[in-house]
């Protein structure tokens, strides 16, 4: 059996000290040099251990100040399921209501944006074809917990009452309900989740450390004719959210 990498051993040691209340939430950790000397490792090993714990929400780094024990923060449960989008409201609002949290979101829509190559491929359209792009920042009790960028082909919604996802009579109704309003039936969605590190912009918006772990979900909605009608990039911070998939069983 291979030996555990040194930085993982140090991460376990730091986590153990926090569990045993050697350091309490809000406490500043000793310098990397001091921890390294105590544990018999170099500063780079301590740095990697701290970066791992920061990405997991155990520690937090403060620029120009040092590394601190993070305040406990309950993870938000995010449910992904085809059964979650109901006429009564958004899936995110339903999730937050179940957790007794106040749900809200901020959005910005840009119409007639040329589709980048990857988005065009996901939507089955030509690169540069016009789309409606909407960026979202989802909040739970006023704190950001999820980001999303949605793309819809302008050819599908242009000239209709649902062309703006967050404007008009169907504002905030969700993709399934908005498309139904113009006679487009959504049959299914495909989601591809993968872990990665947050970009600097994502970290800033989510209030997490740069390069912290996130789950990036590429979601695409398809009509009953098999046409992609919306695709989105959803970003969820791993330390603050747990993603749960509900799979309906048809009997």
């Amino acid at each position: 059996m291979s030996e555990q990498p040194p930085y993982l051993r140090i991460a376990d040691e730091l986590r153990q000290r926090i569990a045993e209340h050697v350091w309490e939430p809000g406490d500043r950790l000793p310098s990397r040099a001091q921890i390294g000397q105590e544990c018999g490792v170099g500063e780079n090993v301590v740095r990697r251990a701290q970066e791992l714990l920061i990405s997991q929400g155990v520690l937090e780094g403060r620029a120009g100040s040092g590394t601190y024990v993070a305040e406990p923060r309950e993870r938000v449960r995010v449910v992904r399921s085809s059964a979650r989008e109901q006429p009564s409201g958004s899936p995110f609002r339903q999730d937050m209501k179940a957790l007794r949290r106040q749900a809200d979101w901020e959005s910005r829509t840009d119409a007639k944006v040329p589709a980048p190559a990857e988005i065009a491929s996901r939507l089955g359209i030509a690169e540069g074809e016009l789309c409606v792009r909407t960026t979202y920042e989802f909040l739970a009790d006023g704190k950001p917990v999820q980001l999303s960028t949605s793309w819809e082909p302008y050819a599908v919604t242009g000239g209709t009452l649902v062309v703006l996802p967050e404007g008009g009579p169907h504002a905030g109704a969700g993709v399934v309900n908005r498309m139904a309003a113009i006679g487009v039936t959504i049959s299914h969605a495909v989601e591809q989740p993968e872990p990665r590190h947050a970009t600097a912009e994502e970290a800033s918006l989510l209030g997490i450390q740069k390069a912290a772990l996130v789950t990036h979900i590429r979601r695409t909605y398809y009509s009953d004719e098999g046409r992609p009608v919306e695709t989105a990039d959803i970003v969820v911070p791993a330390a603050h959210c747990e993603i749960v998939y509900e799979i309906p069983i048809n009997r």
Side-chain angles (χ1 to χ4, degrees):
M1 181 180 296
S2 59
E3 187 178 350
Q4 186 183 41
Y7 82 94
L8 291 180
R9 177 175 62 83
I10 300 305
D12 287 342
E13 173 66 24
L14 300 181
R15 195 181 288 109
Q16 183 66 26
R17 293 188 189 187
I18 294 170
E20 294 175 351
H21 304 286
V22 175
W23 300 318
E24 300 286 352
D27 285 353
R28 179 181 176 181
L29 268 61
S31 68
R32 290 173 184 167
Q34 184 175 341
I35 294 174
Q37 186 175 9
E38 291 177 6
C39 299
V41 296
E43 290 187 41
N44 284 337
V45 173
V46 178
R47 176 183 56 78
R48 288 193 65 189
Q50 290 181 343
E51 288 175 347
L52 173 63
L53 296 180
I54 288 172
S55 73
Q56 295 173 345
V58 177
L59 300 176
E60 64 178 37
R62 302 178 189 175
S65 179
T67 304
Y68 294 75
V69 179
E71 295 288 343
R73 181 172 173 179
E74 182 183 359
R75 297 179 82 199
V76 173
R77 184 182 177 92
V78 178
V79 179
R80 315 295 304 167
S81 170
S82 60
R84 300 296 288 180
E85 192 145 6
Q86 303 294 334
S88 58
S90 76
F92 179 73
R93 184 163 282 153
Q94 292 178 55
D95 287 339
M96 295 306 102
K97 183 178 180 180
L99 294 171
R100 297 182 180 179
R101 295 191 176 207
Q102 179 64 40
D104 198 3
W105 58 83
E106 299 174 357
S107 66
R108 173 183 172 178
T109 295
D110 297 297
K112 298 185 178 181
V113 178
E118 181 190 353
I119 297 301
S121 176
R122 284 155 58 176
L123 289 173
I125 61 178
E127 182 179 354
E129 192 168 325
L130 297 181
C131 289
V132 177
R133 180 185 63 197
T134 305
T135 57
Y136 294 89
E137 182 177 352
F138 292 92
L139 310 171
D141 292 338
K143 296 181 179 179
V145 294
Q146 179 178 308
L147 304 175
S148 178
T149 302
S150 165
W151 298 78
E152 298 177 356
Y154 188 75
V156 174
T157 61
T160 73
L161 293 176
V162 302
V163 65
L164 301 178
E166 299 299 323
H170 302 282
V175 177
V176 174
N177 300 311
R178 288 177 46 251
M179 292 297 170
I182 59 173
V184 177
T185 301
I186 302 295
S187 64
H188 68 286
V190 174
E191 293 195 347
Q192 178 185 352
E194 65 178 8
R196 63 169 173 80
H197 295 288
T199 65
E201 181 181 8
E202 290 166 347
S204 176
L205 290 171
L206 290 168
I208 59 178
Q209 293 296 313
K210 183 179 178 181
L213 290 176
V214 297
T215 301
H216 178 184
I217 303 172
R218 294 176 176 86
R219 181 201 66 203
T220 303
Y221 279 110
Y222 292 84
S223 72
D224 56 1
E225 298 177 345
R227 177 181 183 178
V229 296
E230 189 262 10
T231 193
D233 291 287
I234 301 165
V235 178
V236 180
H240 300 157
C241 299
E242 61 177 358
I243 300 175
V244 178
Y245 280 83
E246 285 186 358
I247 304 175
I249 306 297
N250 296 322
R251 296 183 181 276

